[in-house]
Amino acid sequence: MAEVQTTIHTPIKQPVEQASSPWRDAWNILRKNKLAMVGLGIILFFVVVAVFAPQIAPYKFDEGELVMKNKAPSAEHWFGTDYNGRDVFSRVVYGARISLWVGTSSVLGSIVAGTFFGLLAGYYGRWVDSVISRVFDVMLAFPSILLAIAIVAILGPSLQNALLAIAIINIPTFGRLVRSRVLTLKEEEFVMAARAIGMKDSRILIKHILPNSLAPIIVSGTLGIATAIIEAAALGFLGLGAQPPEPEWGKMLADSKQYIQKAPWTVIYPGLCIMLTVLGFNLIGDGLRDALDPRMKN
């Protein structure tokens, strides 16, 4: 009898592709955006400077010698000295801590409060929406910097009060953004299905509506940090923000404006840091907008 030969075919293992997700897709789009990567690099640079300020700064930011008053940049003082003989480079380095802290903290506070009120207004509507929306309208009727000045004038000039004022004036921006998003999402089928099975409103807001509202919040928050840094610098320039000897960039500009012709380096370097930081957040914010917008993915 002829032997019957059987052949066993070993299945070829196919490479397992990495699971895709909206956030991973957004990152892949973002990292291809050269300008966004430049912005991310600028932000990371200033974050590193702020974190390691004591190791980077060669001098203490609040100590100086009057005999070294308004000295030009040199090997000893890279950015020169100010009107009190303090090292400008050291003050600029420590100033990164204050500006980034004020910008991020105030915007985070605005996002939390604005998201809370926006969820309530958009989801419940009726008188809740009317009351919250009218409050937002009144706040938006005032120029933001004037409203911030009024709040700090009432509370008293200090860095903490300036941070609180910046957070308050930006609440309507995030609140209206979230409200408009909720008005759209609450009519979607998955939200209506959640209601049909008896899910509580709080659970619907947290589990379904809020996660689908994160993309515009992140984009607006990133751009809002740049605005908050400018507003903090403006309040500092007016003497309503950080108080001496705190090395806040806006306050450094205000203290040195009368020496702009005699010692321009005391104004150039803090102003340049403000410009670069704001530019970095604007670039990464634009990149996030393009990456998180489904209409831009094609």
Side-chain angles (χ1 to χ4, degrees), residues 28-266:
N28 291 332
I29 296 174
L30 181 65
R31 68 180 182 180
K32 295 178 182 177
N33 189 326
K34 294 181 180 179
L35 289 178
M37 290 295 98
V38 171
L40 181 60
I42 293 173
I43 295 171
L44 291 177
F45 170 77
F46 279 104
V47 169
V48 171
V49 169
V51 172
F52 297 100
Q55 290 74 32
I56 296 175
Y59 303 94
K60 293 184 177 180
F61 67 85
D62 56 350
E63 293 183 358
E65 299 179 5
L66 290 179
V67 293
M68 298 295 294
K69 176 181 178 180
N70 290 333
K71 293 294 182 181
S74 62
E76 185 179 1
H77 299 281
W78 294 350
F79 288 0
T81 59
D82 64 3
Y83 62 98
N84 275 331
R86 296 172 297 192
D87 183 63
V88 175
F89 176 75
S90 299
R91 291 180 62 78
V92 166
V93 168
Y94 276 97
R97 283 186 164 184
I98 297 177
S99 293
L100 291 177
W101 176 66
V102 171
T104 54
S105 300
S106 61
V107 169
L108 285 175
S110 301
I111 289 175
V112 172
T115 300
F116 175 75
F117 290 115
L119 288 172
L120 294 181
Y123 188 78
Y124 290 105
R126 297 183 179 180
W127 66 270
V128 177
D129 186 18
S130 298
V131 172
I132 295 176
S133 296
R134 296 299 78 77
V135 173
F136 286 168
D137 291 340
V138 171
M139 295 178 67
L140 292 172
F142 295 92
S144 58
I145 189 63
L146 292 182
L147 183 58
I149 291 173
I151 294 173
V152 176
I154 294 172
L155 299 177
S158 70
L159 184 61
Q160 289 74 20
N161 291 338
L163 188 154
L164 179 61
I166 295 171
I168 292 174
I169 64 175
N170 287 315
I171 289 176
T173 301
F174 295 100
R176 297 185 70 176
L177 174 67
V178 174
R179 174 185 175 273
S180 62
R181 184 64 176 164
V182 174
L183 289 175
T184 302
L185 289 173
K186 74 176 185 178
E187 303 299 332
E188 296 290 337
E189 293 181 355
F190 65 91
V191 175
M192 298 177 67
R195 289 175 181 167
I197 62 175
M199 186 176 291
K200 294 182 179 179
D201 291 343
S202 59
R203 187 173 179 84
I204 293 174
L205 289 171
I206 295 174
K207 295 292 184 180
H208 296 290
I209 293 181
L210 182 58
N212 287 282
S213 304
L214 287 179
I217 294 175
I218 292 173
V219 174
S220 184
T222 305
L223 296 172
I225 293 176
T227 304
I229 290 175
I230 295 177
E231 291 168 344
L235 291 175
F237 187 85
L238 296 174
L240 298 175
Q243 300 299 306
E246 292 178 306
E248 197 271 326
W249 291 337
K251 183 61 177 174
M252 292 175 66
L253 292 176
D255 293 340
S256 302
K257 63 180 184 295
Q258 56 184 323
Y259 304 103
I260 190 170
Q261 294 182 343
K262 184 179 179 180
W265 52 85
T266 59

